[in-house]
Amino acid sequence: MFTVLILGGTGEARRLAVALRPGPRVVTSLAGRVARPVLPPGEVRVGGFGGAAGLAAYLTAERVDVVVDATHPFAARMSGNAAEAAATTGVPLLVLRRPGWTERPGDRWHRVPDLPAAAGAVAGADRVFLTTGRRGLPAFAHLTRPWFLVRSVDPPESPVPPRMATLLDRGPFTVAGETALLRDHAIEVVVTKDSGGEMTAAKLTAARDLGLRVVMVDRPPLPPGAVAVPTVEAALAHLTRATPGPRRSCTCGS
């Protein structure tokens, strides 16, 4: 059976798994970093592969015909492992990556290359809304002046900033809700990754309406030579060129 491996964890990955049914065998791989993930249809595996070599071994053992990297835009390590494993095995790789956010009139964005730079940008602030995920908190743990409102799906683990309140929540969020949240906590600066998408974009509109500064962490680059598409529809258009039959018949990377 023609097999598609989706490296998932995003809404796009779930929608692609739905769109491919019925048809090929679809296996979605989740990293297992969220306690209660929203599961896609089809086969699901949870946990790492053991690096690029482990993923390459999985592709061979499971006779995977196409890999779709639909991980989070900041999952640079997984994307790098996928590119290396695909190159090693000759299995075609397609990257499904939603577009980043675009600055609009009225925005007060300050772009930075990574989380340590974001920490430096808010070191002198008083009240910061931090939405970079719990795994990014160590980059801010040394800051003693700012008070942080941290939002994440699961509770964070140490090291974390000494002055911090945690809000456990999962999007989508509304502009009204985000505006009230920023006002109620007297937030001065919003820190976020340029993950793109509509599910968490409401905070940017709220920050714009309130005239707040936004520290925007830029995405890591895609692996060299990666073939990327911005939408589920574009991914489907590529994958329809992969017809069931001989292994690696996909031309999606051409």
Side-chain angles (χ1 to χ4, degrees):
M1 178 177 291
F2 194 81
T3 299
V4 179
L5 174 65
I6 301 175
L7 305 177
T10 60
E12 289 82 7
R14 290 190 293 274
R15 291 197 295 274
L16 181 61
V18 171
L20 286 171
R21 291 168 59 89
R25 175 192 176 209
V26 177
V27 181
T28 299
S29 176
L30 303 177
R33 295 174 179 172
V34 177
R36 297 183 301 277
V38 179
L39 298 179
E43 297 180 43
V44 178
R45 69 173 304 279
V46 179
F49 291 95
L55 177 54
Y58 179 90
L59 298 181
T60 300
E62 294 295 319
R63 298 189 57 82
V64 172
D65 293 281
V66 184
V67 180
V68 180
D69 174 9
T71 56
H72 191 276
F74 283 80
R77 179 177 297 178
M78 186 68 248
S79 292
N81 287 343
E84 183 177 341
T88 299
T89 59
V91 175
L93 171 68
L94 179 67
V95 179
L96 171 54
R97 195 71 85 241
R98 59 180 175 259
W101 288 311
T102 301
E103 194 168 0
R104 300 181 182 180
D107 284 329
R108 298 176 57 202
W109 289 8
H110 173 60
R111 286 194 172 272
V112 294
D114 51 33
L115 289 176
V122 300
D126 290 318
R127 300 181 71 82
V128 179
F129 184 31
L130 191 57
T131 67
T132 55
R134 63 189 177 96
R135 296 176 65 87
L137 291 179
F140 301 85
H142 65 287
L143 299 180
T144 57
R145 172 172 173 173
W147 176 86
F148 290 96
L149 176 63
V150 174
R151 183 164 65 195
S152 64
V153 176
D154 294 318
E157 300 176 355
S158 295
V160 298
R163 303 180 64 227
M164 182 187 83
T166 303
L167 176 63
L168 300 181
D169 204 356
R170 188 198 303 263
F173 304 105
T174 66
V175 174
E178 297 289 73
T179 301
L181 184 70
L182 296 174
R183 281 177 171 162
D184 291 347
H185 292 88
I187 297 298
E188 300 170 352
V189 186
V190 177
V191 181
T192 189
K193 295 177 178 178
D194 188 9
S195 55
E198 294 299 321
M199 191 169 74
T200 57
K203 64 192 169 196
L204 300 177
T205 302
R208 182 189 314 121
D209 292 343
L210 295 173
L212 303 183
R213 186 163 63 101
V214 173
V215 175
M216 183 70 67
V217 182
D218 285 333
R219 296 178 173 190
L222 290 172
V227 176
V229 293
T231 65
V232 172
E233 292 75 18
L236 284 172
H238 277 262
L239 291 173
T240 53
R241 298 165 61 186
T243 56
R247 181 169 166 77
R248 300 187 187 104
S249 57
C250 176
T251 58
C252 59
S254 62

